[in-house]
Amino acid sequence: MRNPVTMAAAAAGLALVALPALVGPALAQPTQLRPTRDVTVTYRMVGMAGTTAQEVRMAFSPSTGKQRVDPPGDMGWMLIDRRANTAVMVMDAQRVTMAMPPATVAAMTQEVPAGATFRLKGNATVAGLACTDWDMTAGPASGTSCITDDGVLLRTIATAPNGTNVLMEATQVTYGTVDPARLAVPSGYTAMQMPAGAPGTPGAVPAR
């Protein structure tokens, strides 16, 4: 069985990148912070697990507030319920689920990092769609995200405090109703506890 802590950390990190809420004290800000209609996006991601490009998939339904993130490697997937403020890792091969701790969920659903500032950078076209680039700085971290007028993230380049860059760019965007079954935990799965010391649990070493 794959390490559930590693799977959870990877999916949580992808979820944070996949649907950022960009709003801040600057006067300029995106007109939409999240997709306004059902959308499924396939991304090419470079930097998180080495230099080889990997595929990440994200689906979001604004009517339910649920987001699904499928990280690379078929390790499982993350279901985030933004209305209930919950997130769960689903591992189909083992038929188990693992609820994310409150601190991890809060990091996923927070509207903006403390002290973040934003700057309008310009316009671009990604995956055949127009988007607006926004520079963000939050303490030692920084990045640039290109977002459509209807709130879909098409590209993000994030720079961690250690200088590592992560690029995630949309290669395919499909508008249309997301199958509700893809945004629900399958029945009959066994719920397991997050292992002690995992990122986001009390007493754990802060995740980098």
Side-chain angles (χ1 to χ4, degrees), residues 1-149:
M1 178 177 176
R2 295 176 183 268
N3 186 331
V5 176
T6 301
M7 290 187 289
L14 291 172
L16 286 169
V17 175
L19 190 59
L22 296 183
V23 60
L27 294 178
Q29 64 183 49
T31 56
Q32 294 294 337
L33 308 181
R34 296 174 183 170
T36 59
R37 48 182 171 153
D38 281 24
V39 65
T40 302
V41 185
T42 299
Y43 295 96
R44 177 181 65 90
M45 188 170 190
V46 180
M48 174 168 282
T51 58
T52 302
Q54 300 186 70
E55 184 177 279
V56 180
R57 297 182 303 278
M58 186 279 292
F60 183 72
S61 173
S63 62
T64 63
K66 292 183 178 180
Q67 177 192 3
R68 172 172 173 150
V69 179
D70 289 81
D74 295 323
M75 62 177 67
W77 52 279
M78 177 77 74
L79 178 63
I80 304 167
D81 188 330
R82 294 181 176 273
R83 293 183 180 177
N85 289 320
T86 60
V88 61
M89 185 71 188
V90 182
M91 291 159 275
D92 292 316
Q94 295 80 29
R95 295 179 61 83
V96 299
T97 65
M98 183 169 58
M100 297 293 98
T104 301
V105 177
M108 293 179 185
T109 58
Q110 68 178 347
E111 287 302 319
V112 61
T117 58
F118 300 86
R119 181 175 64 85
L120 178 62
K121 185 176 181 180
N123 300 317
T125 300
V126 178
L129 297 175
C131 59
T132 302
D133 270 324
W134 299 87
D135 284 339
M136 182 195 78
T137 301
S142 62
T144 301
S145 294
C146 203
I147 304 175
T148 65
D149 288 343

Side-chain angles (χ1 to χ4, degrees), residues 35-40 129 148 150-152 154 173-178:
T36 59
R37 48 182 171 153
D38 281 24
V39 65
T40 302
L129 297 175
T148 65
D150 58 358
V152 177
L154 296 184
V173 179
T174 303
Y175 289 102
T177 302
V178 178

